[in-house]
Amino acid sequence: MKMDYKDNYFNFTFTADKSTGLYNNIVGDVYHSIYGALEEAEEKFIAPLDFINNYYCKPEIRVLDICYGIGYNTKAFLKKILQTNYKGNIKIDILEYDKNLVTISPFIKDNLFNTYPEVSYILSASLINEVYNNRDTIKSIMSDKYNYKFFEPFYRNLVKQFYYFGYNYKPQNKNNSFLHNIYYHCISQRIKKPPKAFKFNNFIIKPYFDDARATIQKLSNKYDIIFLDAFTPSKLPTLWTLEFFMQLYKLASEDSLLVSYTNSTAVRHAMTDAGFYVGKLFDCNKRHCGTIASPNNNLIKNKLDNYDIGLMHTKAGIYYRDKNLNSTAEEIIYLYNKEKAESKLQSSSQFIKKYKMENIYEPV
Ligand SMILES: C[S@@+](CC[C@H](N)C(=O)[O-])C[C@H]1O[C@@H](n2cnc3c(N)ncnc32)[C@H](O)[C@@H]1O
């Protein structure tokens, strides 16, 4: 899908943790929570992985970041890798149809640059070809009089010079002066001896700029971690359908964890019918903050209880369908509304009332 920056389809904003967030004017939805884009990624996508127990000992970790946007989930994951000094190899496949967002992602103020500049370096190095090919748009976005404050000053200067002089850029040669400058100014002066985790070969990050539904049908790798961070299901249901989860199930390794911020009963039902074991996520205040799924039931800590499962069999559990993985959002919503209108299932409010009468139910 071609996203033309001139169409003004997104706006930057600072979120409460000082990381940059975005709003999409076409979908009418936020890309990030206003309480903190980075914090949200760490709380909803990284903490549930229980990295040390589930991943630290693996020699290689494969990640599928669906809906990368400006990359907070991948960035927070890389931060975790650096924090724990993980020694293995990391392979991350990025699924995002908006090339503009992906190519500006290393340069954005994300509240990580001062403490973990390696993260933007790893991303710049991995995305250097795409950054170079999209340099005209990147320059327009970064030099716009409203936008420029959302980018790290260090990168604003570097990208400007990169744009004008090309920095002896040779696509086949990653060891060019653009990356050298980042390394020299941000990292080597800080870390005299880079940790093992910070070697090029340890990170392979590959973007796929297409509709994620098309990309997943071409992938054959098995992934240990799947981040699913699509827009709100009711606003854009394309990546929340039964058929999409069936494809994800095929790509999930035996001990894979799929993490998502949604608490939607319909989504949980679709994940379950696709073959996943499904559980709930809670934030540090014990509030519901998402859903986790895995082919391995032992990895699900907070399993769905009778209440959640009962709710899945009401109208609230009717999920979105996309038979050939190519319907428009409007077509998916139309079918969904039709099925709901014709359904003889109990409504969720009837179910909740009955459940409360039969059980002394205290919602968590
Ligand atoms: C809620 S935002 C994700 C935010 C992101 N994780 C971040 O850290 O910035 C949803 C993203 O999904 C992308 N997207 C929506 N539908 C898509 C599709 N069918 N295929 C690929 N990307 C899609 C949008 O371009 C947007 O960047």
Side-chain angles (χ1 to χ4, degrees):
M1 180 178 293
K2 174 123 180 62
M3 319 288 278
D4 195 341
Y5 171 64
K6 289 189 206 79
D7 294 341
N8 232 348
Y9 60 93
F10 66 79
N11 292 115
F12 293 102
T13 173
F14 280 120
T15 66
D17 69 356
K18 301 199 182 78
S19 59
T20 302
L22 292 175
Y23 181 80
N24 188 298
N25 298 315
I26 298 169
V27 184
D29 197 7
V30 290
Y31 290 69
H32 312 98
S33 148
I34 48 154
Y35 77 73
L38 178 63
E39 221 173 283
E40 181 185 31
E42 295 191 311
E43 181 167 72
K44 296 186 179 168
F45 289 87
I46 306 303
L49 298 176
D50 192 3
F51 183 81
I52 295 287
N53 285 325
N54 290 332
Y55 296 100
Y56 189 74
C57 296
K58 283 184 188 277
E60 176 175 290
I61 305 172
R62 282 182 176 267
V63 181
L64 185 63
D65 186 353
I66 308 175
C67 296
Y68 172 93
I70 46 177
Y72 281 105
N73 299 330
T74 285
K75 286 178 176 190
F77 180 72
L78 292 175
K79 176 180 165 186
K80 189 61 148 186
I81 294 297
L82 295 162
Q83 266 177 339
T84 54
N85 200 14
Y86 170 77
K87 302 279 192 299
N89 296 321
I90 301 293
K91 295 194 173 150
I92 305 180
D93 285 339
I94 290 173
L95 273 54
E96 170 59 64
Y97 57 30
D98 190 343
K99 188 183 271 189
N100 295 336
L101 296 185
V102 177
T103 52
I104 59 171
S105 67
F107 314 124
I108 272 176
K109 279 190 185 163
D110 52 18
N111 199 20
L112 268 177
F113 185 65
N114 291 332
T115 41
Y116 291 93
E118 298 90 340
V119 170
S120 63
Y121 177 76
I122 293 165
L123 286 175
S124 309
S126 307
L127 299 169
I128 187 80
N129 291 349
E130 289 76 16
V131 167
Y132 186 73
N133 291 337
N134 202 30
R135 62 194 181 282
D136 288 335
T137 308
I138 294 176
K139 182 173 164 274
S140 320
I141 298 175
M142 285 176 80
S143 55
D144 178 286
K145 67 179 189 316
Y146 176 76
N147 293 345
Y148 81 95
K149 60 177 175 292
F150 297 101
F151 291 90
E152 286 296 340
F154 171 77
Y155 281 121
R156 281 204 313 260
N157 288 332
L158 205 64
V159 168
K160 212 187 284 169
Q161 294 175 37
F162 180 49
Y163 180 79
Y164 287 119
F165 304 117
Y167 258 124
N168 305 326
Y169 177 75
K170 293 194 193 86
Q172 71 280 16
N173 181 7
K174 281 199 161 181
N175 188 15
N176 60 59
S177 37
F178 179 70
L179 294 175
H180 174 77
N181 264 319
I182 305 177
Y183 191 86
Y184 179 74
H185 287 281
C186 307
I187 298 162
S188 64
Q189 303 193 353
R190 214 170 64 91
I191 316 168
K192 292 292 172 221
K193 202 170 163 217
K196 169 149 186 342
F198 189 60
K199 285 194 183 143
F200 246 139
N201 292 345
N202 293 76
F203 297 95
I204 298 178
I205 301 179
K206 194 168 171 208
Y208 292 83
F209 299 121
D210 198 354
D211 188 318
R213 293 176 294 175
T215 310
I216 53 162
Q217 294 180 73
K218 293 180 197 144
L219 297 173
S220 53
N221 298 320
K222 293 279 184 187
Y223 296 89
D224 306 301
I225 296 171
I226 302 175
F227 298 131
L228 176 56
D229 198 5
F231 287 121
T232 312
S234 55
K235 295 196 173 158
L236 197 62
T238 33
L239 304 184
W240 302 105
T241 63
L242 170 71
E243 291 74 10
F244 191 68
F245 288 118
M246 286 164 71
Q247 291 293 327
L248 291 186
Y249 189 81
K250 287 190 207 158
L251 296 178
S253 68
E254 266 174 37
D255 292 331
S256 175
L257 285 174
L258 183 166
V259 194
S260 151
Y261 67 86
T262 185
N263 298 316
S264 155
T265 298
V267 167
R268 289 176 176 167
H269 195 188
M271 287 173 169
T272 308
D273 279 6
F276 286 103
Y277 292 99
V278 177
K280 301 181 271 195
L281 295 175
F282 297 95
D283 64 15
C284 52
N285 298 315
K286 298 213 164 67
R287 281 185 308 236
H288 289 267
C289 76
T291 297
I292 191 159
S294 175
N296 179 350
N297 200 16
N298 295 329
L299 293 180
I300 304 294
K301 282 200 190 117
N302 301 300
K303 302 195 190 326
L304 300 181
D305 56 27
N306 288 341
Y307 174 80
D308 305 308
I309 294 168
L311 211 48
M312 276 188 344
H313 296 100
T314 68
K315 284 189 182 179
I318 294 176
Y319 43 67
Y320 298 104
R321 303 298 304 263
D322 180 12
K323 204 166 149 219
N324 299 314
L325 287 167
N326 59 6
S327 315
T328 62
E330 291 73 23
E331 286 166 346
I332 295 172
I333 291 171
Y334 173 79
L335 276 185
Y336 168 81
N337 286 337
K338 187 166 177 288
E339 188 179 345
K340 225 170 178 174
E342 291 168 0
S343 168
K344 301 264 182 303
L345 288 170
Q346 204 178 18
S347 73
S348 55
S349 50
Q350 283 167 336
F351 167 79
I352 294 169
K353 211 164 137 192
K354 190 159 170 261
Y355 191 92
K356 279 183 179 166
M357 276 182 352
E358 288 169 3
N359 301 270
I360 306 163
Y361 177 69
E362 289 177 25
V364 223

